[in-house]
Amino acid sequence: MRTRLRCEAYHIFFKNLANGVKTDIISALKKKSMSVNELSKELDIEQSKLSHSLANLKFCNLVGSKQIGKKRIYSLNKKTILPILKIIDQHREKNCEGCKLKK
Amino acid sequence: MRTRLRCEAYHIFFKNLANGVKTDIISALKKKSMSVNELSKELDIEQSKLSHSLANLKFCNLVGSKQIGKKRIYSLNKKTILPILKIIDQHREKNCEGCKLKK
DNA sequence: TATTCATATGAGATACTTTTCATATGAGAA
DNA sequence: TTCTCATATGAAAAGTATCTCATATGAATA
């Protein structure tokens, strides 16, 4: 997201989720809030990569954070994320039986 | 989306929406189902560009289509899309007041 | 206030998506 | 069975995001 873009457009929101690292972060934070290091161990993803992704997610308030000592604990905005994931799960049950793989 | 990817991952779903052309298509089809040409006029977007985007959206069953004469009429999968857009709208009302622009 | 742990940031390289344009296919009418 | 309208497709070019790595910042403690 290098260009200056209006936050009002839906696709900005989706861009922030359209990436494996970010959806992995979301899945992990669904279980419990975690620091960057904890996420790094849990997901086996390098620290700065996580920080970059977390900055994006935070910009759109899809995650929040609070400083505890040296650590910064990230938490999921469950109010927004969980219902969306639920809709996608239902969509997939209905529509994605035949489509296991995408070219 | 060139590589072969599992459709189960959430980010595949979001990728399909993380683009202005696609969200514009969605907004247009929210009002009424349309052929490619109608969309092209309505949105002032070139035909082949629309076809490419529509193919992606259709792959994930976010739109459907039916052939009528020479025309192919595309329609929105409202059951999935509308509730998601609603959640995003609510999210933005709450969270995006200060964030008009994104670098 | 130097050191260490924890996280963030910048910039170049890499990878991926989207656009563009030329062309192919498909459906119906002449 | 050709012509025309409507849409789809492929491949190269253009645009954009992500990754990587080196380094900066920030918080706490010795």
Side-chain angles (χ1 to χ4, degrees):
Chain A
M1 271 170 250
R2 208 174 316 136
T3 49
R4 232 161 156 73
L5 290 163
R6 306 210 142 266
C7 208
E8 292 91 43
Y10 288 112
H11 74 278
I12 303 298
F13 186 97
F14 293 121
K15 259 193 213 293
N16 218 338
L17 297 167
N19 163 276
V21 172
K22 287 175 195 149
T23 50
D24 284 352
I25 290 172
I26 286 172
S27 298
L29 294 181
K30 216 160 46 166
K31 295 176 242 159
K32 71 179 179 59
S33 297
M34 282 186 249
S35 71
V36 181
N37 260 334
E38 283 174 296
L39 278 169
S40 182
K41 277 167 202 155
E42 172 88 9
L43 298 173
D44 192 28
I45 292 174
E46 189 246 333
Q47 175 266 317
S48 78
K49 202 163 151 182
L50 284 175
S51 280
H52 282 297
S53 286
L54 286 165
N56 284 162
L57 290 170
K58 192 171 178 191
F59 180 87
C60 279
N61 283 292
L62 297 172
V63 303
S65 70
K66 62 178 172 183
Q67 189 83 28
I68 301 213
K70 291 181 195 168
K71 303 190 174 179
R72 187 163 300 175
I73 308 296
Y74 282 91
S75 57
L76 194 61
N77 179 341
K78 293 191 178 178
K79 191 160 185 319
T80 294
I81 300 284
L82 294 187
I84 290 183
L85 296 186
K86 196 175 164 196
I87 292 167
I88 297 175
D89 288 336
Q90 287 168 352
H91 176 84
R92 269 200 308 234
E93 266 178 48
K94 254 201 166 177
N95 299 282
C96 291
E97 318 216 14
C99 84
K100 288 299 169 237
L101 291 169
K102 161 113 188 82
K103 153 125 160 46
Chain B
M1 270 170 252
R2 207 173 316 136
T3 49
R4 233 162 155 73
L5 290 163
R6 305 211 143 264
C7 208
E8 291 92 42
Y10 288 112
H11 75 279
I12 303 298
F13 186 96
F14 292 121
K15 260 195 213 296
N16 218 337
L17 298 168
N19 164 275
V21 172
K22 286 173 196 151
T23 50
D24 285 351
I25 290 172
I26 286 171
S27 298
L29 294 181
K30 215 160 46 167
K31 295 176 243 158
K32 71 177 179 58
S33 298
M34 280 186 251
S35 70
V36 181
N37 260 334
E38 283 176 296
L39 279 169
S40 183
K41 276 166 204 157
E42 172 89 9
L43 298 173
D44 191 28
I45 292 174
E46 189 246 331
Q47 175 266 317
S48 79
K49 201 164 154 182
L50 284 174
S51 280
H52 282 298
S53 286
L54 286 165
N56 285 161
L57 289 171
K58 192 172 178 189
F59 180 87
C60 278
N61 283 292
L62 297 172
V63 303
S65 70
K66 63 178 171 182
Q67 189 83 29
I68 300 214
K70 291 181 194 167
K71 303 190 173 180
R72 188 162 300 174
I73 309 296
Y74 283 89
S75 57
L76 194 62
N77 179 342
K78 293 191 178 177
K79 191 161 187 315
T80 294
I81 300 283
L82 294 187
I84 290 183
L85 296 186
K86 196 175 163 194
I87 292 166
I88 297 174
D89 288 335
Q90 288 169 351
H91 175 84
R92 269 199 309 232
E93 266 178 49
K94 253 200 166 176
N95 298 282
C96 291
E97 318 216 16
C99 83
K100 287 299 169 238
L101 292 170
K102 160 112 187 85
K103 153 129 157 52

